[in-house]
Amino acid sequence: MQLALQSLLPTDHGGLATPHMPLSSSCLYICTEGRFPSKRFVQMAAHFFAKNSAVLQRQKNQPAVAAAVSPAGGDGGAVASGGDRGAAAGPPGPGPGGSRSSLLLDRVLISELLEPEEFWPFIRKDLPILVESRDVRLIVIDSITGICRGEMADSREGVFQRSRWLIAFTSLLREVASLHGVAVVTVNQVSAIFDDDVTAAAVSYTHLRAH
């Protein structure tokens, strides 16, 4: 989440936004491990804004960009789920009236995708549209193997199925990254207990990272 915020700074300050134009781009955060920790992220955004206020306040008089989908409910924001075909939204805002850090929150798009079958329509159809319409410079996937757990990990055949899925998925991500010039960061959890199946999956993931 810290990396998502950092990417909103201009390149001359260690981010991915246009030089001398903070908050001119967006980050897409794909969450596969359950609900996105919105409250924690709002706290991090407030701290990040305070730390980088001299840079970010260059943009303070510009209108905030609306989220990709309309907020749902009364929490001041929305986080899209797989049922929305991966449509992305900003995390909930800090409350009525907002704050200066809401400029950051408007630039981080959240998509919760919890099932493998939710990924493909999103990656193939919705992702390229979001990248173009919201000027996404960074895509974070947390985590790359979280989407493959469950039935894919119950047997040796499931491990092979997961490996095939990861190969197809990462190939498609490379294509998106190359075509649109975006950075893609994948997160993977570390296990302290290994068996043959887990080791096979780990080898497959390491091979994908190396290529």
Side-chain angles (χ1 to χ4, degrees), residues 23 45-46 48-54 56-57 59-60 64 94 97-106:
L23 304 176
F48 186 84
F49 191 96
K51 182 179 178 180
N52 298 277
S53 59
L56 295 170
Q57 283 181 339
Q59 202 84 351
K60 68 179 181 179
S99 71
R100 292 179 299 177
S101 62
S102 64
L103 293 172
L104 293 170
L105 302 178
D106 288 334

Side-chain angles (χ1 to χ4, degrees), residues 143-185:
S143 70
I144 186 68
T145 56
I147 198 75
C148 302
R149 296 196 184 104
E151 65 273 9
M152 282 192 187
D154 288 342
S155 63
R156 184 171 296 274
E157 175 58 32
V159 171
F160 290 131
Q161 180 184 356
R162 177 165 61 180
S163 297
R164 290 192 295 267
W165 188 93
L166 285 172
I167 291 171
F169 178 51
T170 52
S171 296
L172 192 54
L173 282 178
R174 288 194 192 99
E175 181 181 336
V176 171
S178 177
L179 181 62
H180 298 281
V182 301
V184 178
V185 175

Side-chain angles (χ1 to χ4, degrees), residues 21-24 57-65 103 107:
M21 294 182 63
L23 304 176
S24 61
Q57 283 181 339
R58 299 177 191 173
Q59 202 84 351
K60 68 179 181 179
N61 293 325
Q62 296 191 16
V65 178
L103 293 172
R107 288 293 184 175

Side-chain angles (χ1 to χ4, degrees), residues 4 18 24 28 37 39 47 54 62 66 72 80-82 95 98-99 102 130 135 137 139 144 162-163 180 182 197 199:
T18 303
S24 61
L28 174 62
K39 290 183 178 180
H47 176 77
Q62 296 191 16
S81 65
S99 71
S102 64
L130 279 174
D135 192 17
R137 304 285 179 87
I139 300 171
I144 186 68
R162 177 165 61 180
S163 297
H180 298 281
V182 301
D197 289 346
T199 302

